[in-house]
Amino acid sequence: MEKGRATDKVVAETVSEKTGILGGTFDPVHLGHISLAQDALEQIGLDRVIFIPAAQQPFKLDRKTASGEHRLEMLKLAVKDRRGFEISEYELQEKGISYTYLTMRAMRRLLGKDARLYFITGTDSFLKIEKWKNSSELLREFSYIIGTRPGYRQEELDECVSRIRDIYNTEILFLNNTQLDISSTEIRERLERGIPSGDLIPAEVERYITEHGLYRN
Ligand code: NAP
């Protein structure tokens, strides 16, 4: 965990203007996550994207995940050598339930009050954001970048975005992102049955999963 503190210190020392925060369970990280972050970086002109693995995702408390250490190591392999990608161990170090409003407050403290913080999210998460703890603070104080994946519900999303903009005056930006029909659930199911994940996750991550016997019953 000392290592994580060092990472966060580097973040603080190299403040950039526009920062994307991609929070996730990353169980495991896959090319859908990487592509979402890359598209956000390029299309919105972010200076960096910080990946923040959750200790315990509030809506997934009943699910068993790979340990935080394993999920973090896989993320490190996935973002290695990618310009503009960083990882914060904030939620893993805080332990317990990872509430996004606390994380975003912490990122603002770390990056300074003038930093422009964009929470990057897929549609499923965004559609439920009004149920997140302290959602009104989240929606008033921060901006959002929404990416989609095949099968997303455009009408429901439009309705939700327009309601949130009306109530909270939230800045919400849309990506025209690469459509990748990939989910961590599908990857875990394949791995449980001993089927390689194919080209859904970076090769180094697949090797790590095999070496550590993750996601096998
Ligand atoms: P995840 O499954 O690891 O996914 C991370 C993000 O990547 C999600 O926004 C997801 O979109 C997106 N994504 C995954 N596959 C994609 C693909 N193929 N193409 C495009 N986008 C893709 O993470 P999670 O468990 O949903 O958690 C997301 C974040 O929400 C975390 O930071 C978590 O702590 C936060 N959260 C907070 C609260 C709270 O504060 N109360 C409650 C719930 C979640 P989708 O949303 O569409 O899956």
Side-chain angles (χ1 to χ4, degrees):
M1 287 302 151
E2 279 305 312
K3 219 168 159 189
R5 282 200 194 104
T7 307
D8 284 346
K9 199 164 161 237
V10 172
V11 167
E13 283 166 0
T14 56
V15 167
S16 64
E17 215 191 328
K18 283 172 155 185
T19 298
I21 304 289
L22 179 52
T25 307
F26 303 121
D27 190 33
V29 59
H30 56 66
L31 294 179
H33 298 126
I34 301 299
S35 170
L36 177 67
Q38 188 65 39
D39 286 336
L41 199 68
E42 290 170 11
Q43 292 178 23
I44 308 299
L46 300 175
D47 294 284
R48 64 155 73 89
V49 173
I50 304 178
F51 291 71
I52 309 190
Q56 290 180 269
Q57 206 265 50
F59 289 174
K60 293 183 176 169
L61 297 180
D62 56 343
R63 290 195 213 167
K64 197 173 173 314
T65 64
S67 70
E69 283 77 8
H70 282 315
R71 289 181 290 115
L72 175 63
E73 287 308 314
M74 290 188 278
L75 254 184
K76 285 182 181 171
L77 292 170
V79 310
K80 194 162 64 84
D81 301 330
R82 281 185 170 266
R83 229 172 121 250
F85 285 9
E86 299 174 11
I87 299 171
S88 166
E89 299 180 29
Y90 172 78
E91 291 188 349
L92 293 176
Q93 287 172 350
E94 287 297 298
K95 301 190 174 75
I97 303 178
S98 309
Y99 290 112
T100 301
Y101 79 95
L102 292 174
T103 304
M104 294 301 279
R105 280 184 190 174
M107 290 300 118
R108 177 152 285 162
R109 277 198 302 277
L110 195 64
L111 294 166
K113 63 177 173 30
D114 295 330
R116 294 166 68 185
L117 296 185
Y118 296 81
F119 192 77
I120 305 170
T121 171
T123 57
D124 288 350
S125 300
F126 194 79
L127 286 171
K128 294 187 202 127
I129 202 165
E130 289 161 291
K131 297 196 172 74
W132 293 13
K133 193 163 183 183
N134 247 341
S135 60
S136 60
E137 174 182 328
L138 271 174
L139 291 166
R140 267 189 279 105
E141 298 290 326
F142 302 99
S143 300
Y144 294 82
I145 297 173
I146 303 183
T148 58
R149 62 175 129 177
Y152 79 101
R153 303 180 295 279
Q154 179 75 58
E155 254 179 49
E156 198 182 343
L157 182 63
D158 289 345
E159 207 180 286
C160 172
V161 165
S162 113
R163 182 178 59 249
I164 285 175
R165 279 181 177 147
D166 281 352
I167 301 174
Y168 304 99
N169 197 24
T170 314
E171 181 185 17
I172 301 170
L173 308 175
F174 286 95
L175 293 177
N176 179 14
N177 62 302
T178 312
Q179 296 295 293
L180 295 175
D181 194 6
I182 306 176
S183 72
S184 296
T185 308
E186 181 196 343
I187 292 166
R188 287 194 307 273
E189 283 169 2
R190 287 175 76 140
L191 294 168
E192 267 170 29
R193 286 184 280 139
I195 303 168
S197 70
D199 52 3
L200 307 181
I201 56 179
E204 298 89 330
V205 174
E206 174 123 34
R207 264 198 299 280
Y208 183 94
I209 289 172
T210 308
E211 274 167 29
H212 293 84
L214 304 183
Y215 308 115
R216 301 295 294 268
N217 278 330

